[in-house]
């Protein structure tokens, strides 16, 4: 049955541990988007990989079923704000990890000017100074939907709300 506390990993490690180009690329993303460690980058990369894999597998389905699966996937990515409203199915296959990292709450808090740096935005989120709509979210990796993007503010009980 398994231990209920033992959840499945949400990421895959790189196959080869020491590849200089890959390591430098990961470190660049960690610094640019204020990630805590490489595991966060790998999670976002795995999430994108699952979406792209679903898109590739949908091409092998019968035409009507493939169209349905593709539309559901495109609508989900549009709702998350990863794709634009006029995107096509080919755009799903051309997504990069950076597109997903831009939709994280930590990135959007910094871009809206609520924090001085990416690391400051992470601290504000973890210390529960930020809310999206009426909900306080304490996870910097939360993917913000397009309609929620304007609702990112300081929590009313936060000392930063009055400043």
């Amino acid at each position: 049955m398994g231990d209920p506390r033992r959840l499945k990993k949400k990421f895959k490690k790189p196959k080869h541990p020491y590849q200089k180009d890959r390591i430098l690329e990961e470190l660049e993303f960690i610094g640019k988007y204020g990630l805590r460690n490489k595991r966060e980058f790998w999670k976002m990369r795995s999430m994108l990989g699952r979406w792209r894999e679903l898109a590739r597998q949908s091409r092998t389905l019968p035409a009507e079923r493939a169209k349905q699966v593709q539309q559901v996937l495109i609508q989900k990515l549009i709702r998350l704000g990863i794709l634009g409203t006029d995107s096509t199915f080919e755009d799903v296959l051309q997504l990069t990890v950076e597109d997903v990292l831009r939709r994280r709450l930590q990135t959007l808090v910094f871009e809206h000017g609520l924090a001085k740096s990416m690391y400051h935005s992470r601290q504000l989120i973890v210390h529960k100074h930020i809310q999206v709509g009426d909900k306080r979210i304490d996870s910097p990796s939360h993917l913000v939907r397009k309609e929620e993007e304007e609702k990112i503010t300081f929590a009313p009980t936060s000392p930063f709300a009055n400043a």
Side-chain angles (χ1 to χ4, degrees):
M1 292 219 320
D3 191 354
R5 292 173 299 211
R6 263 314 271 166
L7 302 174
K8 192 164 61 167
K9 280 199 307 188
K10 296 178 181 359
F11 65 93
K12 284 174 60 174
K13 290 182 180 179
K15 291 183 181 180
H16 195 279
Y18 305 109
Q19 294 171 329
K20 186 175 182 179
D21 296 336
R22 180 190 50 79
I23 290 172
L24 291 176
E25 178 191 11
E26 289 172 350
L27 287 174
E28 183 181 325
F29 280 116
I30 287 171
K32 185 176 179 184
Y33 290 100
L35 305 177
R36 188 171 132 239
N37 52 30
K38 290 183 182 177
R39 195 177 318 127
E40 287 191 345
F41 177 76
W42 296 338
K43 282 181 186 179
M44 295 296 134
R45 190 183 61 193
S46 296
M47 184 185 308
L48 176 65
R50 285 191 292 272
W51 290 334
R52 292 180 67 182
E53 182 181 357
L54 184 62
R56 284 192 306 271
Q57 287 176 352
S58 72
R59 289 182 164 178
T60 64
L61 298 172
E64 58 197 45
R65 178 73 178 133
K67 184 85 170 159
Q68 181 184 12
V69 170
Q70 291 169 3
Q71 288 301 320
V72 169
L73 180 61
I74 289 173
Q75 289 302 318
K76 176 180 181 170
L77 294 176
I78 288 173
R79 195 171 50 247
L80 284 173
I82 294 172
L83 288 177
T85 54
D86 57 344
S87 299
T88 62
F89 177 68
E90 297 301 321
D91 295 335
V92 175
L93 297 173
Q94 295 174 355
L95 288 173
T96 62
V97 180
E98 195 161 8
D99 297 326
V100 180
L101 289 172
R102 279 193 208 116
R103 297 305 305 169
R104 296 174 82 233
L105 179 60
Q106 178 179 358
T107 307
L108 293 173
V109 166
F110 174 66
E111 288 176 356
H112 286 345
L114 300 175
K116 296 175 186 173
S117 70
M118 281 290 195
Y119 296 101
H120 185 225
S121 67
R122 180 179 196 91
Q123 185 176 17
L124 290 175
I125 294 166
V126 170
H127 290 215
K128 299 182 181 178
H129 292 292
I130 302 293
Q131 70 180 21
V132 178
D134 294 334
K135 286 181 64 176
R136 281 192 188 181
I137 296 178
D138 61 352
S139 173
S141 64
H142 174 75
L143 290 180
V144 179
R145 292 188 179 134
K146 195 67 175 170
E147 72 256 6
E148 295 175 334
E149 190 173 349
E150 303 86 35
K151 299 176 184 175
I152 298 174
T153 58
F154 286 113
T157 57
S158 170
F160 298 104
N162 302 330

